[in-house]
Amino acid sequence: MTAPAAGGHAIVLGASLTGLVMARVMADHVERVTLIERDTLPDRPAWRRGVPQARHTHNLLAAGQRALDELFPGLTGQLRTAGMVPVRMPRDMLLLVAGGWVNRFDGPHVVLTGTRDLLDHHVRFRLREIPNVDWLEATEATGLLAADDGGVAGVRVRTRTAGGGTEESDLRADLVVDATGRTSQAANWLRALGYDAPEESVVDPRTSYATCVFEPGPDHRRDWKCILIQSTEREPRQGILNPIEGGRWMVSVTGMNGERPPHDHDGFVEFARGLRTPVLYEALRTATPVSPVYGSGRTENRRRHYEKLSRWPDRFIVAGDAFGSFNPSYGQGISVAARTAVAVGRAMAAARERNGGRLPAGLAARLRKPIAAEVNAAWALSAAADSGYPWAREGRQPLPDRLAGRYMRRLLRVVTDDQRAATALFDMTHLVAPPTVVFRPGIVAAVLRGPRRTVIDTVTPPADRGLIFEGERS
C-alpha cells in the first residue's frame, strides 16, 4: 500500500466491480475518494439493477484471484469461506471444447465459482473498511465539468431525494474515473468537451443467455464439480453448470446467431437436451429449479479505442467495460477489472515516485496504455474466438485472421489429449500468460502433428474415477 498523497480528490463513477477496485486503488494515491452509484447498495449479497449480469454464471479466473488478493489481502480465502467453490481445471470439470472432451489431469489452474452477488458484497465490505473512501448512492453523473486547461474538473450529478424528486449539483475533483460499464456515456461527454469520440471494434456472435439455479437431485452421484460445453459453428449452443454457495448449481445455456433460450423451466431443460452432448441435460433432468429463469441479450465484444485518441482531457480515466467489454462466455470481465486496477495502481505509484510524491499532470492520458494492455489480452481470446463465427463478422476475414482461426481450431483438437497444449491454452484463458503462449515451439509442433484422436465422441466424457463429489455442500 502506498501512502496517499497530501491532498487530492478522486471521483469514481459506478460501484460495479470495476468501480470498487478502482476506488481501492485511488485511495492509495489521493486524500479522498468519492464512489458515486446510481443504485442504493444492499448491505448483504443481493441482486441490484445496476449489475443485471449478476444473475448469470460467473468465474473468477486465476489472474483475477491474484489481483483481488493484491488489492484486498486474504479476500479469496474469505470468498471460499463464504461459499465460493474452488474448481480445479480440468480435473474437476467435464470440458467439451470444439475439438472434443479434454482429458482430466492435475493442472495448476483453479477457478472460483459462485454468485456475483456474494463476490460484490465481500469486495464492498472490504472497501468500506478504507477510511478515505466516501459513498454517494442514489446518484448518477450526467456530464463532466470542464477545467480552464481543457481537462476535467469534476462531474455534474443528479441525486434522488427522499421525496421522490431529484437535485443536481457539481462535484469538483482532481481525478474522475468512469467505471459505468457497457452503457458508459464517456464518448458523448468527450464530444461535449470538444474532444473526439473513439473508434470502436465490435464482434457480436449474437449470443443470448438464460440462467437458472438448481438444487442437485438427491441421488445424484458425480465425479465432477462443473460442466462446460462450448459451441461449434455447426452446433451454436453452449451450456455451463457451476457450483455455487449452498451446494446449489447455477446453470446458463446459450443460443447464438439470434437463437434465444426459453425462459420457462421445462423449456430451459429441454433446450439443454439440444446441446452437443446430453451430459448437462442428464444432470438437470433430476435436479430441482429453485429460481426463475433469467435472460440476457447484450453480450457483444465491444472495444472502445480510447488509447488511440491523439488528444485526451487531463484528469479523466475510463476503465472496465466502459473501455472494453467481452462476451461473458469466456468469464474474463471480473479478472480484467481486477488486473486493470492493479496495473493502474502500479503506474500511479511509479509516476508519483518520479514526481516527488505528487501525481503529475498528464497522468490520465498515460494510464490509457496499461488499461488498454489488459483489455487487449482478453480481447485476443474472446473477440478472436467469436470472429470465427460467420454471423459475428461482416465480409471475409483478412488472411492473418483466417490463418489464426485455422490454427486455433487445430489447437482445440490437440488440447483434448495433449496435457502440455491444454496447459498453455488454460494459461491464456486464465490470463496468467499472454496469448503468444499457444505459439511456443513445442505447442506449434503438437498442433502441426495433430491430435491422436481421430473420432470425436461427444456423448461419453472422460471420467476421474478417484473422485466422487456426492452431496457436497460448500
Side-chain angles (χ1 to χ4, degrees):
M1 182 180 296
T2 305
H9 177 213
I11 289 175
V12 178
L13 306 177
S16 64
L17 193 88
T18 298
L20 298 175
V21 294
M22 290 298 290
R24 167 67 188 86
V25 166
M26 293 297 125
D28 282 349
H29 298 287
V30 297
E31 186 175 29
R32 183 166 63 97
V33 179
T34 302
L35 182 59
I36 296 177
E37 169 52 44
R38 182 178 58 186
D39 291 345
T40 299
L41 296 169
D43 58 3
R44 58 184 177 84
W47 182 85
R48 63 184 180 89
R49 184 184 64 173
V51 191
Q53 70 273 24
R55 285 174 165 156
H56 302 279
T57 49
H58 281 77
N59 296 326
L60 183 52
L61 305 177
Q65 295 172 50
R66 295 176 188 176
L68 284 176
D69 273 338
E70 184 170 340
L71 296 166
F72 302 99
L75 177 65
T76 58
Q78 294 175 335
L79 293 172
R80 291 189 186 204
T81 300
M84 289 194 76
V85 183
V87 177
R88 297 172 300 171
M89 187 175 186
R91 170 64 75 192
D92 298 341
M93 301 179 68
L94 302 183
L95 174 57
L96 181 63
V97 298
W101 292 105
V102 176
N103 278 342
R104 298 166 68 180
F105 60 87
D106 288 315
H109 306 96
V110 177
V111 62
L112 284 183
T113 66
T115 62
R116 176 68 182 270
D117 297 339
L118 182 70
L119 172 63
D120 284 6
H121 169 73
H122 279 269
V123 175
R124 285 196 302 268
F125 180 84
R126 291 292 299 272
L127 186 63
R128 288 187 186 277
E129 295 180 325
I130 299 177
N132 62 332
V133 177
D134 299 323
W135 301 67
L136 186 57
E137 302 175 30
T139 302
E140 62 180 321
T142 59
L144 300 174
L145 302 179
D148 293 340
D149 62 0
V152 169
V155 291
R156 181 80 172 169
V157 299
R158 181 188 299 122
T159 302
R160 297 193 303 275
T161 62
T166 60
E167 294 179 352
E168 294 197 357
S169 58
D170 293 344
L171 298 180
R172 299 283 168 174
D174 302 287
L175 279 173
V176 174
V177 181
D178 178 13
T180 55
R182 287 177 179 264
T183 61
S184 165
Q185 295 300 303
N188 294 328
W189 293 346
L190 287 174
R191 289 192 189 97
L193 294 182
Y195 292 87
D196 292 333
E199 296 179 0
E200 292 191 0
S201 299
V202 179
V203 178
D204 187 2
R206 299 173 61 201
T207 299
S208 295
Y209 291 85
T211 298
C212 184
V213 177
F214 289 82
E215 187 75 31
D219 299 324
H220 192 79
R221 292 174 61 85
R222 61 196 187 277
D223 69 344
W224 47 263
K225 291 184 179 181
C226 174
I227 299 173
L228 176 55
I229 301 164
Q230 297 182 346
S231 63
T232 67
E233 183 177 333
R234 291 185 178 182
E235 298 172 288
R237 285 184 176 184
Q238 300 182 143
I240 182 171
L241 181 157
N242 273 353
I244 62 172
E245 54 270 23
R248 298 167 295 160
W249 293 339
M250 181 173 278
V251 182
S252 293
V253 293
T254 303
M256 305 179 76
N257 195 17
E259 182 183 27
R260 292 182 176 273
H263 290 176
D264 64 282
H265 292 128
D266 290 343
F268 182 96
V269 175
E270 189 62 27
F271 186 91
R273 189 205 289 264
L275 298 174
R276 295 170 58 203
T277 172
V279 169
L280 180 58
Y281 167 75
E282 290 296 331
L284 298 183
R285 194 167 53 84
T286 58
T288 302
V290 293
S291 81
V293 177
Y294 296 106
S296 177
R298 186 169 185 187
T299 57
E300 79 280 2
N301 303 280
R302 183 175 298 273
R303 176 82 167 77
R304 298 179 172 108
H305 295 279
Y306 287 112
E307 78 284 3
K308 294 184 178 181
L309 293 175
S310 59
R311 296 177 60 244
W312 187 258
D314 199 11
R315 299 175 293 280
F316 183 51
I317 301 168
V318 181
D321 283 357
F323 203 113
S325 55
F326 317 99
N327 182 343
S329 295
Y330 304 98
Q332 300 170 304
I334 296 172
S335 297
V336 170
R339 283 174 55 92
T340 296
V342 169
V344 166
R346 291 174 179 170
M348 293 179 74
R352 283 181 58 189
E353 185 176 356
R354 294 191 298 267
N355 198 49
R358 298 182 302 276
L359 294 174
L363 174 64
R366 295 196 292 274
L367 289 176
R368 292 178 297 168
K369 184 175 181 179
I371 295 172
E374 298 300 334
V375 171
N376 289 342
W379 185 268
L381 173 66
S382 60
D386 283 349
S387 66
Y389 299 112
W391 58 81
R393 61 180 188 269
E394 295 183 3
R396 185 175 173 81
Q397 280 185 300
L399 179 60
D401 292 347
R402 296 201 303 274
L403 292 175
R406 190 174 304 169
Y407 179 87
M408 291 302 295
R409 285 190 290 273
R410 286 183 64 87
L411 174 66
L412 290 175
R413 290 290 307 278
V414 170
V415 299
T416 61
D417 58 11
D418 187 309
Q419 181 171 332
R420 183 168 61 168
T423 299
L425 178 65
F426 298 150
D427 283 345
M428 180 178 74
T429 57
H430 277 255
L431 302 175
V432 296
T436 53
V437 68
V438 298
F439 294 100
R440 289 175 179 168
I443 309 303
V444 172
V447 171
L448 293 177
R449 284 195 303 269
R452 291 186 287 270
R453 297 177 188 170
T454 57
V455 177
I456 299 176
D457 174 11
T458 61
V459 176
T460 310
D464 185 334
R465 302 300 180 188
L467 297 174
I468 293 290
F469 301 105
E470 182 177 12
E472 180 180 74
R473 292 294 181 265
S474 300

